Amino acid sequence: MKDIAIFGYKDSSSGQLINMLSKKSRKKLNCIISIKKKINLNIIKEHKKRPNKKTEFVVKDKIFGLPVFYEKDFVKILKKRKIKSVFIMEDRGTERGIIFKKIKKTKIKILTFIHKSVKLMGKNNIGDGSIIFPDCYIGYKSDIGKSCIIQSGCRVEHHNSIGNFCDINPNMRTGGFTKIGNFCEINISVVIINRIKIGNNSRVGAGSLVLKNIKNNELQFGRPSKFIRKNN
């Protein structure tokens, strides 16, 4: 029965997830849903921006062979199409938070995906709806919150806590006893030393080295990282 829906239509996120799913799971996919507004793209121009023409785009409200629905009141679609479970792959943690909250009021299951190459070192808690990409390392007694996206090659050391609805980009590194708050975005190749606290809704720019605590709602960047502005 085709009873799984995916939130998010981008090839760079949902496309990757579909590619990683088992054949059995792919056969159960029913549709793609997005809470974003529909955008009409010039696909020829979009391909020119990219290194090859393999990126898929929504064409005639279909992508990956699945119908696409753009609807903020998405629960109606889920019920109409008899969806029993969902993956949430929208880009922003705030968007995933909105979807997560509404889905939790229904009987629909929010699915978690952990790639088979991920190393879980023991006594880890992984929140509902989180997606962990290949070659990640989650250290002993480290926890990942709800609906986080942890991209490939990240190393989260022991006794860490990553909050809910975070976006962790490839090759992030943390020391032990580090805490990352809710709705944070940690960009590619960021290094965070041990015992650092990063506040809610904060963002760390690519390649930064975090040596001091970061307050709520801050954008920091640099080696070492420095306050750039408030993160709105």
Side-chain angles (χ1 to χ4, degrees), residues 82-198:
K82 298 180 180 179
I83 300 299
K84 292 184 179 179
S85 52
V86 299
F87 288 106
I88 305 176
M89 290 295 292
E90 290 282 20
D91 287 340
R92 294 184 176 276
T94 49
E95 295 167 341
R96 298 198 301 276
I98 291 167
I99 296 165
F100 191 98
K101 186 176 179 180
K102 287 187 177 181
I103 295 291
K104 276 295 184 181
K105 293 178 180 178
T106 72
K107 294 182 179 180
I108 297 168
K109 184 178 181 180
I110 298 174
L111 297 172
T112 300
F113 176 82
I114 302 172
H115 192 268
K116 62 183 179 181
S117 66
V118 173
K119 292 183 179 179
L120 298 173
M121 299 310 293
K123 299 187 178 181
N124 308 107
N125 293 326
I126 309 297
D128 291 345
S130 283
I131 310 294
I132 306 182
F133 278 64
D135 298 324
C136 289
Y137 173 100
I138 311 298
Y140 172 67
K141 290 188 176 179
S142 283
D143 298 330
I144 309 296
K146 301 171 185 174
S147 198
C148 291
I149 296 180
I150 314 291
Q151 294 191 33
S152 58
C154 289
R155 188 177 182 94
V156 178
E157 278 296 346
H158 61 91
H159 296 86
N160 275 220
S161 174
I162 296 179
N164 302 319
F165 312 111
C166 289
D167 292 292
I168 310 297
N169 285 273
N171 296 316
M172 181 200 74
R173 298 288 188 271
T174 73
F177 300 101
T178 294
K179 182 177 181 180
I180 297 173
N182 301 321
F183 297 102
C184 288
E185 181 182 344
I186 311 297
N187 278 287
I188 189 168
S189 297
V190 168
V191 176
I192 304 168
I193 67 166
N194 60 306
R195 300 183 186 276
I196 290 294
K197 293 182 180 179
I198 296 179

